[in-house]
Amino acid sequence: MSKADTPSEPLRAEYDSLVESVRRYRFAYYNEDAPLISDAEFDQLFRRLEEIEALHPELVSNDSPTQEVGGEISAVFSPVQHLSQMYSLEDVFSLDELEAWVLKAQLSAEKLAGQRLVESPLRWLTELKIDGLAVNLLYRKGTLVRAATRGDGITGEDITHNVLTIKEIPRQLKGENLPEEVEIRGEVFIASKDFAELNEQMVAAGRAPFANPRNSAAGSLRQKDPAETAKRPLSMLVHGIGARQGFEVGGQSESYALLKEWGLPTSPYFKVFSGYSEILDFIAHYGEHRHDLLHEIDGIVVKIDDFATQRALGYTSRVPRWAVAYKYPPEEVNTKLLDIQVNVGRTGRVTPYGVMVPVKVAGSTVEMATLHNQDVVKAKGVLIGDTVVLRKAGDVIPEIVGPVVALRDGSEREFVMPSHCPACGTALAPAKEGDVDIRCPNSRSCPAQLRERVFHLAGRGAFDIEALGWEAAIALTQPAEPAEPPVQNEAQIFTLKAEDLAEVRIERQKRLKGEPSGELELVPYFYTKGTPKKPSEPTANTLKLFAELEKAKSQPLWRVLVALSIRHVGPTASRALATAFGSMEAIRAASEQELAEVDGVGPIIAQALIEWFSEDWHREIVEAWAAAGVRMADERDETVPRTLEGLTIVVTGSLQNYNRDQAKEAVISRGGKAAGSVSKKTDYVVAGENAGTKRDKAEQLGLKILDEEGFELLLRHGPAEDEAAGDEAVADETAEELGQDD
């Protein structure tokens, strides 16, 4: 090795620091079930360690973290040796890396096939990577004799008594000719629904919730008392076979079928593919639907299905050469909580939220996250200045899960909920005795509530005014001395004129050579900056705003109801009210009992409606909108048949001819109820492409499932009284389309 190739002192120092950090974080994760950093941050450290070792292999020792599997063995549980080693999986973090791994595996397999050692072509078993705790079950003659954690891969912890509390794991396998001895590998986890309920119970009891399902499951399995483990909603899915004696199978997918026959819980989420493009489709599908699943996942595992090829390719000291884990972008990271502030919502609810060091999670940069109310802040145990776990799942609002207590240095401080509204100074109080939330009662004049209501009425679920975004709502409603804001009440929204906005200014950073300077200046928001040669005029977006306001006047009644910001009245209740009464006048005239009897409304929403319309200034909004030409009644299209009266329909997955809103409108306009979840009360489930768990639940409940063609027939003809009527309807439809006579 040349002198130039010798690692520098700074690089050696970085390497030593990485080794120490990885060991520390791994011990906290595996042995203490209390991670100090997020999985994504650990992955970055581990990859950097691998990079340095790849460049300077002379640094690698047998006790390097890259040569080890899992964690150390706890002294609390008895150590047990696995009959065959349990390995980790090689991780890849991009599709390019995955493609490179697949090509490498194919080349290796083709070489072996040329030597007649394995069969070709390859088949790829592709499955979800469960975010749980790896467990090894040892069965002898069909009887469970031992359960152990993975540990360091060679030696694990005996957790047999705790595992026996998991109802899915059989003590005795089913069937005849059971193997003399077999190790079954799988993952113990807490289902997403069960985890949410468990955390709700923790918060209700005044205790800090668990940070994530994986560590909650691991901690549950490591309880000294099995009775405590039994209280936790643990589940298990098996996905592999270790040592075996007395039987043989040809491949991974074949072994899954056998495990299921024996009565072991296997995953429904796997497919066997022959091509790489199919693997990519699988990854894309579950990347979009990962939160519709039974359990949390952090990636996809790709395995060569054939056992002979697996054996021929073999293992490194840590990972198999025939399997890889593709990791989705992280949805959980750690960051610093700089402050906790409060926001006043459109109905006056005061909500604490965290202000954090900006961090990238789930594909977007996040610097604020909700904390719901003061009780949740207390239950989560977060202090200002904490390092916190931040979770963002897809389009879901970012959530602060909890603090990393081990990283506190004493400088942290508690959050104190304000006693007065930060926007208008009004004393805060619960809306009624027993409410957890506190509210600003100054709903008419509070500038924060007005701003939120204006922003809300422009939203997609209401008037859908694209040009009226968050910043525009601020500009319209913020007090600006000496002039009053253009909108002092949402009644004024549809009477605005362009000249009313000419003097509106907002603060923006000055820019020097295209870069923000940090210095603020007041600039026109709705008009251009005037010059001696070109006077100020409405911007293109302002002209678009007025065009969209005019268009919004013709929106259906249910959207107008949503736009009014009546507490508890969202799109579902608004649709039900519009369908039942047909006009704003009829809704206002209805009694509380009449409102409550509407399917999808009920007593709480009925009471909220009566209370809202009892306020003079609320009625003024409705009257002002009506005077400006906003549609206040739906004209029922008598040509649309009421074929779905009394029926509940759930539409799931992608349809070719309908988006989500169009499918709902099609059901509701025909008298049906468009539900969002499947239950025993559901009459039909319409399943498009990638229907996911709603279709699965419908099958379990034995409900009628329709494809898109069946949905359209149902819309036209309604439910057939019997199969013959249904067949006749289909036949008539077909004949009509073909232009045939009877």
Side-chain angles (χ1 to χ4, degrees):
M1 181 181 292
S2 67
K3 189 173 182 180
D5 293 329
T6 303
S8 64
E9 285 304 315
L11 190 64
R12 282 185 179 276
E14 181 189 0
Y15 178 76
D16 291 341
S17 175
L18 279 170
V19 168
E20 183 179 343
S21 296
V22 167
R23 283 180 179 150
R24 177 191 175 206
Y25 295 140
R26 181 180 275 175
F27 183 85
Y29 184 88
Y30 285 106
N31 295 77
E32 297 179 339
D33 304 315
L36 298 176
I37 60 174
S38 67
D39 288 352
E41 290 169 305
F42 181 84
D43 288 338
Q44 287 180 338
L45 293 177
F46 198 84
R47 296 202 88 192
R48 176 57 180 159
L49 192 62
E50 289 180 316
E51 288 173 5
I52 294 174
E53 291 186 347
L55 291 170
H56 300 283
E58 72 278 7
L59 292 174
V60 183
S61 61
N62 291 334
D63 63 350
S64 167
T66 63
Q67 308 302 302
E68 299 169 348
V69 175
E72 300 174 13
I73 309 304
S74 170
V76 176
F77 296 94
S78 301
V80 291
Q81 191 162 335
H82 305 306
L83 302 184
S84 66
Q85 183 173 341
M86 295 181 71
Y87 290 86
S88 295
L89 285 172
E90 181 179 347
D91 293 327
V92 295
F93 298 88
S94 70
L95 295 179
D96 287 342
E97 289 179 305
L98 177 63
E99 184 177 18
W101 184 92
V102 168
L103 288 172
K104 181 180 177 182
Q106 283 177 328
L107 290 172
S108 299
E110 286 170 6
K111 185 177 179 181
L112 292 169
Q115 300 169 8
R116 300 182 181 276
L117 295 176
V118 302
E119 293 183 1
S120 187
L122 294 178
R123 297 171 75 239
W124 306 93
L125 184 137
T126 308
E127 61 190 354
L128 306 186
K129 187 177 185 297
I130 303 169
D131 195 9
L133 180 74
V135 169
N136 188 41
L137 307 176
L138 176 60
Y139 284 89
R140 290 197 178 112
K141 295 183 179 179
T143 301
L144 180 63
V145 296
R146 190 174 71 206
T149 63
R150 180 172 60 184
D152 62 6
I154 297 171
T155 305
E157 302 156 336
D158 190 331
I159 53 169
T160 307
H161 292 297
N162 289 353
V163 164
L164 287 172
T165 68
I166 303 173
K167 61 183 179 180
E168 291 96 342
I169 301 176
R171 296 190 180 205
Q172 180 66 42
L173 301 179
K174 297 178 182 178
E176 299 177 357
N177 301 318
L178 295 170
E180 287 293 317
E181 190 169 66
V182 61
E183 287 182 313
I184 308 296
R185 273 76 192 267
E187 297 282 327
V188 171
F189 62 93
I190 294 180
S192 301
K193 178 176 177 292
D194 292 335
F195 180 72
E197 291 175 357
L198 179 62
N199 267 354
E200 286 174 7
Q201 294 168 9
M202 298 288 285
V203 171
R207 298 166 62 189
F210 293 107
N212 58 57
R214 189 267 170 204
N215 291 102
S216 175
S220 300
L221 272 184
R222 289 196 173 100
Q223 295 289 320
K224 294 179 183 180
D225 183 0
E228 290 300 313
T229 301
K231 295 177 183 177
R232 303 284 171 81
L234 296 175
S235 299
M236 184 175 184
L237 292 175
V238 299
H239 54 59
I241 296 177
R244 68 202 74 172
Q245 184 181 337
F247 79 103
E248 196 58 58
V249 285
Q252 197 82 29
S253 54
E254 187 181 337
S255 74
Y256 285 6
L258 184 61
L259 293 171
K260 191 172 184 178
E261 284 179 20
W262 288 344
L264 288 157
T266 56
S267 173
Y269 309 117
F270 78 91
K271 293 282 180 68
V272 179
F273 300 123
S274 57
Y276 180 63
S277 62
E278 295 171 302
I279 296 173
L280 293 182
D281 290 342
F282 188 92
I283 289 171
H285 171 73
Y286 283 108
E288 183 179 345
H289 294 277
R290 62 189 292 186
H291 302 293
D292 302 330
L293 305 173
L294 170 68
H295 51 71
E296 292 289 318
I297 64 171
D298 60 358
I300 298 293
V301 177
V302 181
K303 302 174 181 176
I304 292 174
D305 189 45
D306 178 56
F307 279 160
T309 308
Q310 290 184 10
R311 288 192 293 268
L313 289 175
Y315 303 80
T316 69
S317 63
R318 195 175 64 87
V319 300
R321 293 189 177 94
W322 44 265
V324 70
Y326 166 78
K327 291 284 196 80
Y328 287 117
E331 295 194 319
E332 193 170 283
V333 296
N334 289 5
T335 188
K336 195 82 168 176
L337 180 63
L338 301 175
D339 197 8
I340 297 177
Q341 299 177 5
V342 296
N343 178 66
V344 183
R346 60 191 172 93
T347 61
R349 181 186 175 197
V350 180
T351 306
Y353 64 93
V355 179
M356 300 160 296
V357 173
V359 62
K360 192 162 187 178
V361 56
S364 60
T365 300
V366 174
E367 55 185 315
M368 291 184 289
T370 183
L371 282 162
H372 303 290
N373 58 55
Q374 66 271 30
D375 286 1
V376 171
V377 176
K378 185 176 179 181
K380 287 180 181 289
V382 292
L383 302 176
I384 297 169
D386 267 335
T387 295
V388 294
V389 178
L390 175 71
R391 180 182 297 149
K392 182 178 184 291
D395 294 329
V396 177
I397 297 171
E399 176 192 9
I400 293 172
V401 179
V404 184
V405 177
L407 296 180
R408 284 178 176 163
D409 59 12
S411 64
E412 299 80 12
R413 67 186 193 279
E414 287 189 14
F415 163 70
V416 178
M417 195 74 173
S419 59
H420 289 73
C421 176
C424 67
T426 304
L428 303 176
K432 60 179 182 290
E433 189 176 346
D435 277 3
V436 173
D437 296 324
I438 61 172
R439 297 176 182 273
C440 171
N442 182 24
S443 54
R444 182 172 190 171
S445 305
C446 177
Q449 292 183 60
L450 175 60
R451 176 194 65 220
E452 295 282 350
R453 291 197 302 267
V454 169
F455 177 60
H456 170 77
L457 69 82
R460 288 187 180 181
F463 283 124
D464 194 15
I465 304 170
E466 185 181 340
L468 181 44
W470 175 247
E471 197 173 42
I474 295 172
L476 286 172
T477 60
Q478 68 181 2
E481 296 293 343
E484 293 288 346
V487 174
Q488 300 162 55
N489 182 298
E490 53 265 54
Q492 300 168 301
I493 282 290
F494 290 100
T495 57
L496 283 173
K497 297 180 177 60
E499 53 266 31
D500 298 335
L501 310 180
E503 300 303 320
V504 175
R505 301 284 191 272
I506 63 167
E507 281 190 340
R508 280 197 176 143
Q509 281 197 53
K510 284 184 178 179
R511 302 185 76 86
L512 298 174
K513 297 181 179 179
E515 295 297 321
S517 65
E519 186 179 344
L520 296 176
E521 64 174 337
L522 279 173
V523 297
Y525 183 81
F526 294 102
Y527 273 60
T528 60
K529 284 185 178 181
T531 66
K533 292 184 179 180
K534 189 174 183 181
S536 179
E537 61 183 6
T539 65
N541 203 56
T542 300
L543 297 176
K544 181 181 178 182
L545 169 62
F546 282 98
E548 289 185 347
L549 282 168
E550 192 61 34
K551 184 180 176 182
K553 294 177 183 179
S554 61
Q555 290 283 22
L557 177 61
W558 73 266
R559 288 183 175 272
V560 180
L561 285 166
V562 172
L564 290 172
S565 285
I566 304 171
R567 192 176 176 193
H568 305 305
V569 180
T572 301
S574 295
R575 288 173 188 271
L577 289 162
T579 302
F581 294 101
S583 72
M584 188 71 74
E585 183 180 357
I587 293 170
R588 289 177 63 174
S591 68
E592 187 171 337
Q593 183 177 347
E594 288 171 329
L595 292 167
E597 287 174 353
V598 174
D599 188 24
V601 177
I604 293 175
I605 294 175
Q607 183 182 8
L609 283 160
I610 295 295
E611 290 176 354
W612 194 89
F613 280 110
S614 69
E615 293 281 349
D616 290 344
W617 69 277
H618 287 161
R619 296 195 298 272
E620 288 170 8
I621 295 171
V622 176
E623 290 157 7
W625 287 2
V630 175
R631 178 172 156 184
M632 291 291 164
D634 285 340
E635 295 180 9
R636 181 171 287 178
D637 187 350
E638 298 300 334
T639 65
V640 177
R642 306 288 286 179
T643 52
L644 305 183
E645 289 281 6
L647 297 180
T648 299
I649 317 291
V650 173
V651 180
T652 181
S654 302
L655 302 178
Q656 288 187 349
N657 299 320
Y658 303 84
N659 62 31
R660 186 175 299 178
D661 284 340
Q662 288 170 339
K664 281 185 176 180
E665 290 289 354
V667 171
I668 292 168
S669 64
R670 289 162 177 79
K673 177 182 178 182
S677 58
V678 176
S679 71
K680 291 180 181 178
K681 295 182 180 179
T682 305
D683 294 293
Y684 292 92
V685 173
V686 180
E689 290 187 20
N690 303 326
T693 55
K694 289 181 182 178
R695 179 180 185 129
D696 296 339
K697 186 171 182 180
E699 290 174 347
Q700 291 170 7
L701 295 174
L703 302 178
K704 296 174 184 176
I705 300 175
L706 305 176
D707 58 11
E708 186 163 357
E709 183 180 355
F711 178 47
E712 292 182 336
L713 286 174
L714 181 70
L715 294 175
R716 292 172 189 170
H717 303 290
E721 293 183 6
D722 52 41
E723 289 187 15
D727 292 342
E728 186 178 339
V730 174
D732 290 347
E733 187 77 22
T734 305
E736 182 182 334
E737 288 174 357
L738 294 173
Q740 298 173 350
D741 295 326
D742 290 337

